[in-house]
Amino acid sequence: MTGFHTPFDGAGGGSSGALVPYPGQGATRSFPPDYFYNVNKQQNSRILRYARTDIINPVLRYANYYIDGPRMGSTFAKIASGAAAAIDCGIEFPLGTYTQGTFGGVVGGTIANGGELSSDPITITIPKGSIFVERNNFQCAAGIIITENGGYAALGDKWEGAVSGLANKVMGGTISNASFVYAAISITSQIDQPSWMPLGDSLTRGLVDTIDPPGDKGFLARLIGPSAGYILAAEEGLQAAHVVANNDYLISLASSVSHVPVALGTNDILIGGKTAAQIITSLAAIYNLFPTKKVLGCTIIPSPVFTAPQHVIRQTVNDFIRSRTHFELADPVETDRNSNTAKTGMFNADNIHLNQTGFKTVAAYPPNVALLNRLMAG
């Protein structure tokens, strides 16, 4: 069985199946955009990535929409920028050597308002384990879209924007700042190993996690990133109920991966006031959004701010999650299963988010590493 949407046999919630070559995400650090700024109309971005398999003739896919997260309207819907956008892109590999991307055989393409556009295959081979850089130039009369989950200067990420007159630096030139970036939502080539789309909230996003090389942030990216490419689909405040209501962009993103771990539920309890039954219903609906993918559950961690009734909800939902293939996020940071007591030194001062020690502890938890290794082996 081959094809873009069916990368392996036995997809969905069951066995891991056997991967066959498919167009999959071979690079780390792809993110959907989640912020819109209507003053600047032009931007250059430089984003460092790691190749986690041989990437041969990669295709870069760009979005002209943003996810309406907490810094915008908090609907968590896909919002069009408001106008068509011009995109130019290239690959810097080895560092200092530039290869131009094209769209339909010409330099530069047009992304429809609210749409996506994929480049032609870029004639380059990036060996497994290599560092490479994506460079792009984006222009839109309505404004620019960015991701606030990128832009780490220590990794070499750079960004600059302007109302007009910004020189295109796809093929070289110094880009000045590093507060955020606009990045390809996927970088695909023919691969024969799993690729991943961690789906979650601020914990999956790695909020308050301290970034360090190679730039994988949050428990799932820290677990997966050293071995495989991923698209990090995570927004602060995201609830399972939001995904049930707004998921078209996630289905599109998932077309470039084989595995989707779902780490949701905390905000449904803390913010949404949902019952265990409601959360379980939402999670089941999300698992069914990706019928051709290997979908994994992720247990809900014991945030110290949970009340006793909220911990009962968490335990009931976790029992449901543990009934399928899952990553165990709770046990590594809880004194005992269902003790409702967090281990010392794992949480940030807000008692909702893990600190770097907590994120690293979950990522290094032996059952999680063993499951990842089994799934990576096919």
Side-chain angles (χ1 to χ4, degrees):
M1 194 165 49
T2 59
F4 199 77
H5 297 287
T6 54
F8 64 93
D9 300 322
S15 62
S16 60
L19 280 166
V20 297
Y22 69 102
Q25 176 82 9
T28 61
R29 306 188 68 230
S30 278
F31 321 94
D34 57 6
Y35 192 82
F36 176 73
Y37 183 58
N38 65 3
V39 176
N40 285 343
K41 314 297 182 184
Q42 303 173 336
Q43 60 183 341
N44 289 312
S45 291
R46 179 187 192 273
I47 310 97
L48 181 142
R49 302 174 184 267
Y50 283 76
R52 293 309 185 201
T53 186
D54 291 340
I55 298 176
I56 302 172
N57 301 334
V59 172
L60 279 58
R61 179 164 52 133
Y62 291 95
N64 189 15
Y65 57 78
Y66 63 94
I67 309 311
D68 188 37
R71 291 172 181 79
M72 302 300 294
S74 293
T75 67
F76 298 96
K78 181 182 81 172
I79 307 294
S81 69
I87 183 69
D88 187 12
C89 71
I91 297 289
E92 183 181 346
F93 179 80
L95 299 184
T97 299
Y98 307 96
T99 302
Q100 176 73 60
T102 58
F103 299 83
V106 298
V107 174
T110 301
I111 319 172
N113 182 32
E116 299 176 353
L117 183 68
S118 294
S119 73
D120 302 325
I122 298 175
T123 306
I124 191 171
T125 296
I126 306 171
K128 179 178 180 178
S130 299
I131 297 172
F132 71 99
V133 169
E134 170 207 344
R135 299 177 72 102
N136 67 66
N137 174 271
F138 176 96
Q139 302 184 38
C140 180
I144 59 171
I145 54 177
I146 58 173
T147 173
E148 290 202 328
N149 207 34
Y152 301 115
L155 300 176
D157 292 349
K158 296 291 182 181
W159 175 92
E160 61 187 7
V163 176
S164 63
L166 185 68
N168 183 331
K169 297 177 181 177
V170 164
M171 293 299 287
T174 300
I175 301 175
S176 55
N177 302 311
S179 52
F180 35 69
V181 293
Y182 172 73
I185 58 175
S186 67
I187 297 181
T188 56
S189 62
Q190 287 290 323
I191 65 174
D192 60 0
Q193 71 172 32
S195 52
W196 299 77
M197 186 184 79
L199 169 56
D201 52 30
S202 55
L203 289 159
T204 302
R205 189 181 179 96
L207 186 70
V208 310
D209 190 3
T210 304
I211 192 71
D212 52 18
D216 304 321
K217 190 179 178 189
F219 34 49
L220 290 175
R222 284 185 177 276
L223 171 65
I224 294 162
S227 301
Y230 63 85
I231 302 168
L232 193 63
E235 295 294 332
E236 297 168 43
L238 187 66
Q239 301 176 34
H242 292 139
V243 175
V244 173
N246 297 290
N247 52 59
D248 53 346
Y249 74 97
L250 293 168
I251 292 171
S252 179
L253 289 174
S255 66
S256 295
V257 304
S258 59
H259 289 58
V260 181
V262 178
L264 291 166
T266 294
N267 290 318
D268 296 80
I269 298 172
L270 282 178
I271 302 171
K274 300 295 193 297
T275 66
Q278 289 172 321
I279 298 170
I280 288 169
T281 297
S282 292
L283 289 176
I286 293 168
Y287 298 156
N288 288 331
L289 289 175
F290 310 103
T292 64
K293 311 300 174 184
K294 173 66 179 178
V295 181
L296 296 87
C298 297
T299 53
I300 302 170
I301 64 173
S303 295
V305 297
F306 281 155
T307 63
Q310 288 174 330
H311 273 300
V312 172
I313 295 172
R314 180 184 73 90
Q315 292 173 14
T316 302
V317 175
N318 278 350
D319 287 344
F320 167 74
I321 292 169
R322 290 181 177 120
S323 70
R324 65 185 293 118
T325 304
H326 68 281
F327 287 125
E328 185 57 60
L329 309 185
D331 284 356
V333 295
E334 192 168 11
T335 55
D336 291 295
R337 180 171 291 185
N338 294 337
S339 70
N340 302 334
T341 302
K343 292 179 180 177
T344 301
M346 296 293 172
F347 277 81
N348 184 52
D350 64 9
N351 281 328
I352 298 173
H353 300 95
L354 299 178
N355 56 26
Q356 187 187 60
T357 298
F359 283 119
K360 287 185 173 182
T361 298
V362 172
Y365 186 55
N368 289 337
V369 175
L371 175 58
L372 177 68
N373 289 341
R374 178 171 67 81
L375 294 173
M376 291 300 297

